[in-house]
Amino acid sequence: MNNSVQTTGQKLGKVVMFIVLLIMGLVTIFPIASCL
Amino acid sequence: MSKLYKKWFFPFVLPAFAIFLIVVLIPFIIGIFYSFTGWRGSFFMGPNGRTTNPFESFLGLKNYIAAFKQESFRSAFLFSVKFTVLAVIAVNVVALAQALLVNAIGKAVCVFRATFFLPNLLGGLSLGFIWLFIFNNIFTKVLFGKEGVIPIKFLTYMTDKDPNKLMFAILIMAVWQMSGYMMVIYTAGLANISDDYYEAASIDGANAFQKFFKITIPMLMPSFTIVFFLVLSRCFMLLDQNIALTNNAPQGYRMLAAQVLKVTNDTNGNYGIAQAEAVIFFLVVATISITQTVILKGKEVEMQ
């Protein structure tokens, strides 16, 4: 796979995926953080 | 090397095997024997009253029949099966999504992996009490209550008198705890898939869905086998979270393991019935786990 050239759609996809991951991470941390 | 291996094999294996024999295997076999008798903890209850001879109180399959006649055992069995089916699907979907997303992003991978794995480091009961606090206070009062951020009635008072709500609550907890561990297994599986396959598929004009269903899924089959087995056995044996959330009180809200623990109290210390339930529990878990492993093993792709 050639990762050096990315279309705008691919870049947008990565940003969306990053945001989804970030939300998942926050949801995972939340129960532990709520007890602090 | 082989000579050295042969010479030292038994001296090194013996201590571990002896401990396994004494702590696991022998009690397990004695336990199966007790399930056919009127065992009361310190004596046997035979037809002529108390006895120390186990063969005088041999009951055959009576304990097993009594176990199946118990409404609480049947409801716990059904509750466990329903929960396990839902949990296996939910944990796999979430874990696979996490693994694919982390793999696709390629940035801050370690941070995300550590974050998702974090819930695994917490113990069972403490985890149960953390979630009890969240369901009763944060979910009910802050987030989903009448005056909450988003009023959703189903997500309030989840540990009270509705078995469906309780099952959903334990499901949230199980997914939260297990998905990180399973994600690590899937990530390892994804790392083993060579980029060549995807490159060849791209040249042939395959789209992302075709690549996922024709390359990723078949190549991940060994990981699926392990993850299915782990989730299945862990969900069936779920005990502490269930006890923490329900305080082990109402019948029909218990998982099978919690029920086996509780039955001695319900039957005035008749450990024979409790042992029979434990043996049934073992047989169910073993049968389902082995069947699932055999089926999935057959679907694994052989690497050349």
Side-chain angles (χ1 to χ4, degrees):
Chain A
M1 271 187 284
N2 190 1
N3 289 324
S4 56
V5 183
Q6 285 186 330
T7 61
T8 317
Q10 281 172 326
K11 279 180 189 170
L12 202 71
K14 282 213 165 180
V15 172
V16 172
M17 282 196 276
F18 190 77
I19 293 167
V20 172
L21 260 182
L22 211 62
I23 294 167
M24 275 181 159
L26 288 173
V27 169
T28 311
I29 288 286
F30 168 74
I32 301 166
S34 68
C35 295
L36 295 175
Chain B
M1 184 67 189
S2 153
K3 210 175 175 184
L4 192 77
Y5 182 80
K6 272 181 190 168
K7 189 183 171 189
W8 289 104
F9 180 79
F10 285 107
F12 274 101
V13 165
L14 204 66
F17 183 71
I19 292 168
F20 179 73
L21 199 74
I22 294 163
V23 177
V24 179
L25 217 58
I26 292 173
F28 177 72
I29 292 163
I30 293 174
I32 292 176
F33 175 69
Y34 281 161
S35 71
F36 294 103
T37 65
W39 177 238
R40 293 289 191 277
S42 56
F43 61 92
F44 293 92
M45 187 61 89
N48 307 319
R50 285 179 175 218
T51 172
T52 47
N53 184 2
F55 294 100
E56 276 180 29
S57 73
F58 196 78
L59 295 171
L61 289 172
K62 275 183 187 166
N63 280 334
Y64 288 86
I65 294 163
F68 275 114
K69 275 184 182 172
Q70 273 185 356
E71 175 59 32
S72 56
F73 179 73
R74 288 203 303 265
S75 69
F77 187 80
L78 209 67
F79 191 84
S80 298
V81 170
K82 271 189 208 168
F83 167 74
T84 307
V85 171
L86 291 173
V88 166
I89 297 167
V91 171
N92 272 286
V93 169
V94 174
L96 189 60
Q98 284 175 341
L100 287 169
L101 284 171
V102 170
N103 206 40
I105 289 290
K107 281 176 189 165
V109 174
C110 293
V111 176
F112 283 118
R113 247 187 244 172
T115 310
F116 293 137
F117 193 77
L118 202 64
N120 254 287
L121 305 175
L122 290 174
L125 260 184
S126 59
L127 191 112
F129 285 117
I130 289 173
W131 275 98
L132 189 67
F133 168 78
I134 292 169
F135 288 133
N136 288 345
N137 291 292
I138 297 174
F139 269 39
T140 308
K141 290 171 187 166
V142 183
L143 289 177
F144 307 114
K146 274 181 186 171
E147 292 158 7
V149 184
I150 317 158
I152 304 171
K153 205 182 169 190
F154 185 78
L155 294 173
T156 56
Y157 302 104
M158 291 181 83
T159 56
D160 279 3
K161 286 176 185 164
D162 189 344
N164 292 330
K165 276 188 182 183
L166 182 76
M167 186 177 287
F168 193 63
I170 307 176
L171 204 63
I172 291 173
M173 204 165 61
V175 171
W176 177 78
Q177 194 195 10
M178 288 183 212
S179 62
Y181 189 81
M182 305 311 157
M183 183 214 67
V184 173
I185 297 172
Y186 279 136
T187 312
L190 285 171
N192 278 333
I193 305 174
S194 169
D195 273 349
D196 298 349
Y197 296 114
Y198 293 106
E199 204 176 328
S202 296
I203 293 166
D204 287 343
N207 61 27
F209 284 102
Q210 284 169 324
K211 282 182 205 169
F212 178 71
F213 286 108
K214 303 284 180 186
I215 299 172
T216 311
I217 295 281
M219 297 296 277
L220 270 183
M221 268 302 164
S223 306
F224 276 120
T225 313
I226 301 165
V227 169
F228 266 62
F229 173 75
L230 284 176
V231 179
L232 208 85
S233 52
R234 276 189 184 192
C235 287
F236 253 117
M237 292 187 283
L238 198 80
L239 169 73
D240 18 24
Q241 286 96 328
N242 184 220
I243 287 178
L245 284 190
T246 59
N247 201 15
N248 202 17
Q251 175 191 318
Y253 291 68
R254 288 183 209 147
M255 295 289 291
L256 208 51
Q259 168 62 24
V260 170
L261 201 73
K262 186 85 173 143
V263 73
T264 43
N265 193 26
D266 292 352
T267 52
N268 293 326
N270 190 349
Y271 296 108
I273 294 181
Q275 195 54 49
E277 290 193 5
V279 172
I280 297 166
F281 179 37
F282 162 77
L283 287 175
V284 170
V285 176
T287 311
I288 293 175
S289 301
I290 292 167
T291 314
Q292 167 265 324
T293 311
V294 168
I295 290 170
L296 282 183
K297 273 265 174 208
K299 290 188 186 297
E300 282 181 13
V301 177
E302 288 292 325
M303 298 288 283
Q304 293 298 319

